Structure formats: structure tokens, C-alpha cells
Amino acid sequence: MDNKLSGSDLTRAMLARGDDKVWCAVNNDSDEHAITNIDNADYSFLKYIVSFNNSHFLCEDGTPWQYAVPVEKVEVTQQEVGF
């Protein structure tokens, strides 16, 4: 049995432990579609999720989403780009 959390399940767990905002790829179809949006460089589907209520994730502006996959946002370093 696999007890590892991922996708929207991980976001729910992070909010339940008290995280105030979780940076997520969001979608209303599935976790996979949320990540596909990001893979296709559609960053309009990156939102800070602030709560989970009535089977929906809510972003900062109050928009409800069915799926929210936590992602990282990191700065690129000089070494990573080869300078």
C-alpha cells in the first residue's frame, strides 16, 4: 500500500496542517490537466490556494477549483544557466 500523498491530496493535507498559502497548478478537470497547463506554459493556471471548502479549493481571489497540485517556484541561478 502506497501512503505517499501527491496532487490535490497533498494540497489538502498541507492546508489541514495550517499552511496559509500553497502555490498550485489548478484545473477543474483533473490533477493531470493542471500539470499539462503548466507544461504548455499556460501560467494563468498558477494560483495561491488559501483554503479547501465544500469539495473545492479556493484561491486568493475566491475562485473555486476542483483540483490544485502543489508546485515550486524557484529562482534560476547563474550557475544553472552556465555563466
Side-chain angles (χ1 to χ4, degrees):
M1 185 167 144
D2 189 4
N3 290 329
K4 293 183 181 178
L5 294 174
S6 63
S8 293
D9 292 335
L10 180 56
T11 303
R12 276 190 290 279
M14 293 169 72
L15 292 167
R17 79 171 177 193
D19 290 23
D20 292 331
K21 292 196 264 185
V22 181
W23 188 240
C24 290
V26 296
N27 193 275
N28 283 322
D29 295 321
S30 69
D31 283 349
E32 292 78 19
H33 279 104
I35 294 303
T36 298
N37 288 333
I38 305 311
D39 289 344
N40 291 333
D42 188 349
Y43 302 117
S44 63
F45 289 95
L46 285 174
K47 307 286 183 186
Y48 277 114
I49 298 300
V50 296
S51 66
F52 180 76
N53 294 313
N54 299 323
S55 73
H56 284 86
F57 296 95
L58 295 176
C59 64
E60 287 181 308
D61 68 6
T63 303
W65 297 95
Q66 289 185 304
Y67 299 92
V69 179
V71 296
E72 286 188 333
K73 178 172 66 169
V74 297
E75 180 180 0
V76 175
T77 66
Q78 179 180 350
Q79 183 178 6
E80 289 172 324
V81 295
F83 282 101

